[in-house]
């Protein structure tokens, strides 16, 4: 049944020149038929470079908005309209504007997990795989880093020459991991390496053998000579790794590491969106696109 649905999707993709762009948190039945699977930075580059007429995004809303901003002449469809990222909604653009009015010296760095309206009032975007490199490359010393204070704290440690001002945003999924879970996992699996996403808290990160984006964690585990790993990011990454590396063993750091928004999208949703039933076309005015694009273009220039 699954294979039949996948087959129909592949056929529709071909016939209608549709590019299926998936985040690596999507389930395997989707990632194995997607045209591109990656972290949020890699997804941005893929959206920019495809020559398909339509981009279908299996992920969350800010990823589809980013694709539209980078490929404004294409039809961009978010497979599951309800799939948002709560962190993207945590800060209002007006709050940033008022901080900027009081502190014109701040360079405003926005995690890509933000709305297009918030990006429009920021100077440069970053992703988890590019944040350290981009912050290091900025000329300014004083930086307002929004919204994720955990990623911001991690970046501050890697780039001590800059002064980062942080707000209180975070990913509710990664930030839910507590120290008891870290201690239990390390006690139970003493030979395992701990691989963690920088959206986890600084307390958790201090025990990590590797800290990186979703694709960074995937690559590290595939290349490593170690045989056991505790994975500190969304459950799907441990699942993908277990398929890709059957000779290695992957444990989940916490049972809470399930992103309900990423999990909303099913293979059937992709099938229906391909047929034009379900899914939501991302509509933005040329002005909205132009304003938000400035900081995404800066991210690509400095992050590549
Ligand atoms: P990545 O850039 O690592 O893919 O992160 C996106 C995300 O939402 C992690 O929770
Ligand atoms: Fe947003 Fe966290 Fe889900 Fe990533 S895991 S999409 S940051 S809620």
């Amino acid at each position: 049944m699954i294979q039949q649905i996948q087959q129909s999707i592949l056929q529709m993709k071909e016939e209608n020149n549709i590019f299926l762009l998936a985040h690596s948190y999507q389930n395997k039945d989707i990632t194995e038929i997607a045209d591109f699977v990656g972290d949020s930075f890699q997804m941005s580059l893929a959206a920019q470079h495809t020559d398909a007429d339509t981009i279908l995004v299996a992920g969350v809303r800010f990823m589809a908005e980013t694709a539209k901003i980078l490929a404004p002449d294409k039809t961009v469809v978010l497979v599951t309209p309800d799939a948002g990222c709560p962190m993207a909604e945590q800060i209002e653009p007006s709050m940033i504007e008022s901080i900027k009015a009081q502190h014109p010296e701040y360079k405003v760095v926005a995690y890509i997990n933000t709305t297009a309206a918030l990006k429009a009032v920021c100077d440069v975007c970053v992703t988890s795989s590019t944040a350290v490199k981009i912050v290091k490359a900025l000329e300014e010393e004083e930086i307002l880093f929004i919204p994720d204070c955990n990623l911001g704290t991690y970046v501050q440690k890697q780039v001590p020459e800059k002064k980062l001002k942080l707000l209180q945003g975070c990913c509710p999924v990664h930030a839910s991991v507590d120290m008891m879970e870290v201690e239990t996992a390390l006690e139970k699996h003493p030979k395992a390496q701990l691989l963690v996403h920088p959206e986890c808290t600084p307390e958790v990160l201090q025990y990590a053998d590797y800290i990186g984006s979703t694709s960074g964690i995937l690559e590290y585990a595939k290349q490593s000579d170690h045989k056991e790993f505790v994975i500190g990011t969304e459950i799907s990454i441990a699942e993908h790794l277990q398929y890709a590396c059957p000779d290695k063993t992957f444990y989940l750091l916490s049972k809470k590491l399930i992103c309900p928004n990423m999990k909303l999208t099913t293979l059937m949703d992709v099938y229906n969106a391909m047929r034009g039933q379900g899914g939501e076309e991302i509509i933005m005015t040329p002005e909205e696109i132009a304003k938000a694009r400035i900081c995404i273009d800066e991210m690509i220039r400095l992050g590549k």
Side-chain angles (χ1 to χ4, degrees):
M1 180 66 172
I2 288 178
Q3 277 170 357
Q4 278 167 355
I5 301 170
Q6 286 180 319
Q7 216 43 53
S8 308
I9 293 173
L10 290 172
Q11 201 176 329
M12 285 189 279
K13 244 163 26 79
E14 183 78 25
E15 284 168 7
N16 302 314
N17 198 16
I18 298 174
F19 187 78
L20 178 57
L21 181 60
H23 187 263
S24 41
Y25 285 164
Q26 295 295 297
N27 289 329
K28 184 167 171 285
D29 53 4
I30 296 174
T31 57
E32 61 192 5
I33 53 160
D35 293 293
F36 185 85
V37 184
D39 67 18
S40 32
F41 185 66
Q42 295 168 331
M43 284 177 79
S44 310
L45 299 183
Q48 197 182 27
H49 291 119
T50 176
D51 48 21
D53 301 321
T54 301
I55 303 174
L56 204 63
V57 179
V60 292
R61 182 167 294 272
F62 78 82
M63 295 171 178
E65 280 183 0
T66 304
K68 181 67 185 176
I69 292 163
L70 285 164
D73 299 334
K74 299 194 187 297
T75 302
V76 176
V77 175
L78 174 61
V79 171
T80 310
D82 286 344
C85 168
M87 178 155 49
E89 313 280 339
Q90 284 168 347
I91 292 176
E92 287 296 324
S94 58
M95 182 178 180
I96 300 308
E97 279 176 320
S98 87
I99 297 177
K100 272 166 57 169
Q102 286 164 31
H103 295 278
E105 71 281 11
Y106 282 149
K107 184 86 171 173
V108 185
V109 176
Y111 195 20
I112 198 161
N113 300 38
T114 40
T115 59
L118 187 54
K119 287 182 176 81
V121 297
C122 297
D123 298 310
V124 57
C125 269
V126 296
T127 64
S128 56
S129 58
T130 56
V132 169
K133 183 177 181 184
I134 292 176
V135 168
K136 229 177 223 170
L138 297 174
E139 279 172 20
E140 291 79 0
E141 191 191 343
E142 301 210 40
I143 288 160
L144 174 63
F145 187 101
I146 58 159
D148 188 352
C149 65
N150 292 323
L151 177 65
T153 304
Y154 169 68
V155 173
Q156 177 69 84
K157 285 202 178 119
Q158 307 304 308
V159 195
E161 66 273 25
K162 305 280 181 192
K163 283 188 206 141
L164 268 65
K165 164 85 183 151
L166 307 175
L167 302 181
Q168 285 306 308
C170 71
C171 161
V173 178
H174 287 84
S176 74
V177 179
D178 60 57
M179 281 313 295
M180 196 109 100
E181 290 168 307
V182 176
E183 281 160 19
T184 307
L186 296 182
E187 255 169 49
K188 265 174 109 174
H189 312 293
K191 290 195 191 132
Q193 283 209 311
L194 177 61
L195 317 185
V196 178
H197 197 281
E199 288 172 9
C200 288
T201 62
E203 293 76 36
V204 172
L205 293 189
Q206 66 180 329
Y207 287 92
D209 295 291
Y210 174 81
I211 301 168
S213 73
T214 50
S215 57
I217 291 175
L218 286 164
E219 270 322 292
Y220 180 92
K222 285 178 191 170
Q223 304 296 333
S224 170
D225 292 333
H226 280 81
K227 292 286 177 209
E228 290 181 49
F229 302 88
V230 173
I231 302 299
T233 191
E234 218 271 343
I235 184 169
S236 49
I237 299 298
E239 289 170 356
H240 295 322
L241 280 167
Q242 198 57 78
Y243 277 108
C245 314
D247 59 322
K248 298 180 178 176
T249 310
F250 298 92
Y251 308 102
L252 196 59
L253 175 57
S254 160
K255 285 190 184 137
K256 292 176 287 185
L257 280 166
I258 298 177
C259 174
N261 284 282
M262 283 285 181
K263 287 287 172 274
L264 281 179
T265 304
T266 64
L267 184 66
M268 213 49 210
D269 294 329
V270 176
Y271 174 81
N272 286 330
M274 278 269 165
R275 294 160 69 218
Q277 293 178 356
E280 177 187 324
E281 183 178 349
I282 302 293
I283 306 287
M284 296 171 74
T285 65
E287 203 198 7
E288 283 167 335
I289 290 175
K291 279 187 180 165
R293 185 158 179 155
I294 296 168
C295 68
I296 294 182
D297 280 345
E298 265 303 86
M299 169 186 82
I300 291 175
R301 186 178 75 81
L302 297 169
K304 259 191 191 168

